Amino acid sequence: MSARTIFSVNGQPFFPLGGQVHNSSAYTASELETGWRALEEIRANTAEIPIYWDLIEPEEGRFDFSVLGKMIESAREHNLKLILLWFGTWKNGTMKYTPSWVKNNPKKFKRVITREGVSTSVLSSHCDTNLEADTKAFRALMEYIKRVDEKEQTVIALQVENEPGIMGGAKRDYSEESEKEFRNLVPEYLIRKVQENSGSIINNVWKENGGKEKGSWEELFGYDAEEFFTAWSIARYIDRIAEGGKKIYDIPMYVNVWLATEWDIPGAGYPSGGAVPKVLDIWKWTAKNIDLIAPDIYARNQKSYYDFCNLYNRNDNPLFIPESSIDESNSLNMFRAIADYNAVGFHIFGIESILDENGSVKSSARSVVNSFKSLSSAIPLILRYQGTSNIHSVIQEEYASEQRINLGKYAGFVRFLQLDPYTHLIDPGAGPLDFHHRDQIREERGRGLLIQTGEREFYLLGGGYRLLLYRKDMLRAPLSVFYSSDFIKSRSIDYLSVEEGFFDADGNWITARKRSGDESDYGVWVHPDVGVVRVVLSEE
Ligand code: DGJ
């Protein structure tokens, strides 16, 4: 599966690149302006914006979409697409955005009850009245979007709920209805799937508990039974909401995940039943109307970040990252997510936070902003080459001064300009680059993408590195002093052209500036403010 099969606009593949607004309080027009400004700064094409259930249905059955209408108009004025986040039954595992007529009537709209019998501020997924009310509101939302937007397609996708699960000191609901279901036999289709997926997390748990063909949740899954059961119940609930919405207007729908790692406690450390790696299979087998399960990846260290990318990038689940941090770490990791884990879209959370009170980019956000700028100039290339072996991430891992990339007849030697991020020792062979960038280019760690589009054609984006292209046949020639220095080797390559530029809306390459002589003799360098660099080599 590639980006083509998930997000599209007017039948054309679309790669959503952008940010999610801070979403915890109702939005004022001036706050929205800051959001648009910040999105413009990262050259976003998409904004993720919440729709609160309590705002659109203040009284049961009376809907008010005026705020959404203005939002859609305003997004169009700013040339942005929208991904709307439905804050219904769940937001971060609680019911914070449900209307007061739901909150004030716990007898009708039932809550999750803890083992001790305490009522929580989480709606129960075992209560049909809850499901009906949420589905009704969601369907009304989809009807409105279809009516005002089917032609323009400003809204390209819906996030159904926000980080669903039980966040309230319970691994599962102990209400009467839930108890009854929990004692039932595990549905046959789930057991069949578990059996078919040998080697999966859930299959291992099942085997550890005796690998029985039939039984209750506890009999089949032991300690994990409560979390598995909750995942199944919530996945089924959300699937029905999505099904209701899709019957009205069929656009991509996904569920986001508050991630957890082993030993985190469900219900306390993260929302129990949310689509964390352990129960991802249950979600995929149950929520058929959900196109994607999308992890919110805030991990800073590269190992955890890549592990999460790997777990959610599956044949049945392309990776989409709806939330990530504005840290420097993410300014590197995002390239890995796109090149090596085929992310079909990428967003950071709390986009307004990149700006200071004067509206300038904060120094702490500069590298992430720069990475976004680079990516935004190359989206047509990403869509065309994603999932192929032509796209390579360039990442200056800790302590790395160089990265080597196999490019067919050529060997790519990536030299990072900042040799050591701690001592700020720089690449001594980096030469003059160009006079605009001599100093600033070494400020940030090397990162970006290298995309090979033909035997002798390459596109580079990102910053903090230079690429030396060597002919492999020359490297393999008998050792000679001549070929041992970068200085000589980088001058021995024949460029037909080295150009700075970008892609227009139709995907055509536009050259902004040509480089030669001093500016290409030391290899091909790139920086976010030059957009993309295209290199074509001559025939040997
Ligand atoms: C994840 C949630 O999905 C967001 O709505 C927001 O609460 C962030 N966490 C805050 O870090």
Side-chain angles (χ1 to χ4, degrees):
M1 239 186 265
S2 77
R4 283 162 205 282
T5 55
I6 299 294
F7 300 107
S8 63
V9 174
N10 299 321
Q12 294 304 311
F14 186 79
F15 185 96
L17 180 72
Q20 182 171 145
V21 295
H22 278 291
N23 56 34
S24 296
S25 312
Y27 243 46
T28 63
S30 81
E31 276 175 326
L32 200 53
E33 272 317 310
T34 313
W36 298 142
R37 261 273 307 120
L39 286 158
E40 192 184 322
E41 197 61 62
I42 64 165
R43 313 231 172 106
N45 60 19
T46 308
E48 290 177 338
I49 295 192
I51 302 298
Y52 310 140
W53 186 5
D54 56 355
L55 207 71
I56 66 154
E57 196 181 1
E59 287 163 33
E60 193 166 3
R62 182 173 73 77
F63 291 97
D64 176 358
F65 292 108
S66 50
V67 174
L68 174 57
K70 287 195 193 111
M71 198 108 79
I72 293 176
E73 272 170 34
S74 191
R76 287 178 188 159
E77 280 159 21
H78 290 85
N79 204 16
L80 284 166
K81 297 294 173 193
L82 289 175
I83 293 180
L84 298 178
L85 319 172
W86 171 235
F87 287 11
T89 298
W90 291 278
K91 158 76 166 87
N92 305 132
T94 68
M95 54 183 288
K96 294 251 158 45
Y97 291 85
T98 56
S100 49
W101 50 268
V102 172
K103 286 182 179 151
N104 280 335
N105 197 347
K107 281 216 169 71
K108 182 172 173 192
F109 302 105
K110 295 197 174 132
R111 309 288 183 85
V112 167
I113 307 295
T114 67
R115 190 194 286 270
E116 301 75 24
V118 178
S119 170
T120 65
S121 61
V122 186
L123 285 181
S124 169
S125 57
H126 302 279
C127 169
D128 289 342
T129 322
N130 295 346
L131 176 61
E132 274 159 30
D134 190 325
T135 309
K136 205 169 130 210
F138 190 69
R139 285 171 62 102
L141 171 65
M142 295 312 289
E143 260 160 23
Y144 178 81
I145 298 171
K146 181 177 168 141
R147 182 156 55 77
V148 302
D149 194 50
E150 191 175 21
K151 205 153 145 255
E152 284 224 24
Q153 299 185 15
T154 301
V155 179
I156 60 161
L158 258 289
Q159 177 183 294
V160 192
E161 311 294 340
N162 187 84
E163 296 189 337
I166 302 175
M167 197 61 187
K171 259 165 88 176
R172 75 167 169 95
D173 183 5
Y174 289 83
S175 65
E176 218 178 282
E177 297 77 1
S178 168
E179 272 308 294
K180 221 165 89 201
E181 274 203 274
F182 189 62
R183 303 281 156 232
N184 280 344
L185 296 179
V186 174
E188 265 174 40
Y189 84 93
L190 272 186
I191 304 182
R192 198 171 1 98
K193 284 286 188 189
V194 172
Q195 288 170 331
E196 282 166 13
N197 284 274
S198 179
S200 62
I201 306 178
I202 184 163
N203 182 281
N204 290 341
V205 172
W206 172 70
K207 279 188 188 137
E208 278 161 22
N209 285 282
K212 299 175 206 80
E213 302 253 320
K214 226 176 175 184
S216 69
W217 291 87
E218 262 179 332
E219 284 163 347
L220 261 53
F221 303 118
Y223 168 82
D224 289 307
E226 296 190 303
E227 187 178 4
F228 286 9
F229 166 72
T230 306
W232 168 73
S233 166
I234 294 179
R236 190 183 50 170
Y237 182 106
I238 291 183
D239 188 54
R240 289 182 185 160
I241 296 174
E243 184 184 23
K246 279 198 167 183
K247 275 192 187 138
I248 289 166
Y249 188 36
D250 190 0
I251 58 176
M253 296 194 185
Y254 71 92
V255 169
N256 69 329
V257 188
W258 177 330
L259 287 171
T261 50
E262 219 177 358
W263 311 120
D264 289 337
I265 301 170
Y270 65 96
S272 180
V276 296
K278 199 198 267 185
V279 296
L280 181 54
D281 279 331
I282 297 183
W283 272 84
K284 292 302 301 182
W285 300 333
T286 309
K288 291 290 177 200
N289 290 287
I290 292 295
D291 302 274
L292 294 171
I293 304 287
D296 294 342
I297 308 188
Y298 288 92
R300 290 193 174 132
N301 74 80
Q302 290 174 325
K303 164 113 184 39
S304 309
Y305 196 104
Y306 303 164
D307 282 352
F308 283 130
C309 288
N310 193 32
L311 285 162
Y312 287 84
N313 171 33
R314 316 181 351 164
N315 286 338
D316 61 355
N317 194 67
L319 177 67
F320 170 60
I321 302 183
E323 291 184 34
S324 61
S325 76
I326 60 174
D327 281 1
E328 192 201 352
S329 61
N330 201 22
S331 74
L332 277 79
N333 291 337
M334 65 170 77
F335 291 110
R336 183 77 91 196
I338 291 169
D340 302 337
Y341 300 98
N342 309 328
V344 297
F346 194 92
H347 286 248
I348 44 174
F349 177 78
I351 185 67
E352 303 89 332
S353 294
I354 66 163
L355 301 177
D356 64 19
E357 56 285 3
N358 305 315
S360 306
V361 174
K362 289 178 188 163
S363 57
S364 56
R366 194 159 301 132
S367 23
V368 107
V369 170
N370 277 340
S371 292
F372 266 92
K373 280 186 184 166
S374 301
L375 282 172
S376 72
S377 349
I379 286 181
L381 273 183
I382 294 170
L383 283 168
R384 209 171 312 143
Y385 289 97
Q386 201 173 40
T388 70
S389 55
N390 299 48
I391 182 162
H392 306 269
S393 57
V394 173
I395 309 275
Q396 185 169 14
E397 305 275 6
E398 211 165 4
Y399 306 120
S401 56
E402 188 184 78
Q403 180 182 336
R404 297 186 181 192
I405 303 180
N406 189 353
L407 301 167
K409 286 175 81 171
Y410 301 90
F413 281 45
V414 171
R415 295 275 153 80
F416 296 115
L417 302 183
Q418 200 185 75
L419 276 191
D420 183 329
Y422 301 105
T423 59
H424 286 247
L425 282 176
I426 55 161
D427 173 3
L433 308 171
D434 81 357
F435 69 93
H436 301 291
H437 295 93
R438 259 200 105 160
D439 301 322
Q440 137 207 35
I441 203 158
R442 299 189 172 111
E443 279 169 8
E444 293 173 14
R445 277 174 81 161
R447 63 202 189 280
L449 297 179
L450 167 53
I451 302 164
Q452 182 168 18
T453 54
E455 194 174 51
R456 295 182 189 79
E457 187 182 56
F458 309 88
Y459 289 85
L460 278 65
L461 58 107
Y465 68 94
R466 63 190 175 116
L467 173 72
L468 306 173
L469 287 162
Y470 297 150
R471 281 170 48 185
K472 283 184 185 165
D473 59 351
M474 281 184 144
L475 289 176
R476 284 172 183 152
L479 262 188
S480 84
V481 176
F482 182 77
Y483 289 125
S484 67
S485 92
D486 274 358
F487 187 76
I488 301 295
K489 277 192 298 216
S490 61
R491 280 170 166 71
S492 313
I493 201 94
D494 283 329
Y495 298 116
L496 266 189
S497 59
V498 179
E499 300 165 337
E500 298 172 8
F502 59 94
F503 290 87
D504 69 11
D506 300 321
N508 303 311
W509 172 251
I510 308 292
T511 304
R513 186 168 180 253
K514 289 181 187 268
R515 285 186 198 162
S516 194
D518 288 349
E519 286 156 21
S520 56
D521 273 349
Y522 296 85
V524 187
W525 54 274
V526 65
H527 189 265
D529 67 12
V530 304
V532 179
V533 177
R534 174 176 183 248
V535 182
V536 184
L537 304 178
S538 70
E539 302 267 349
E540 302 93 42

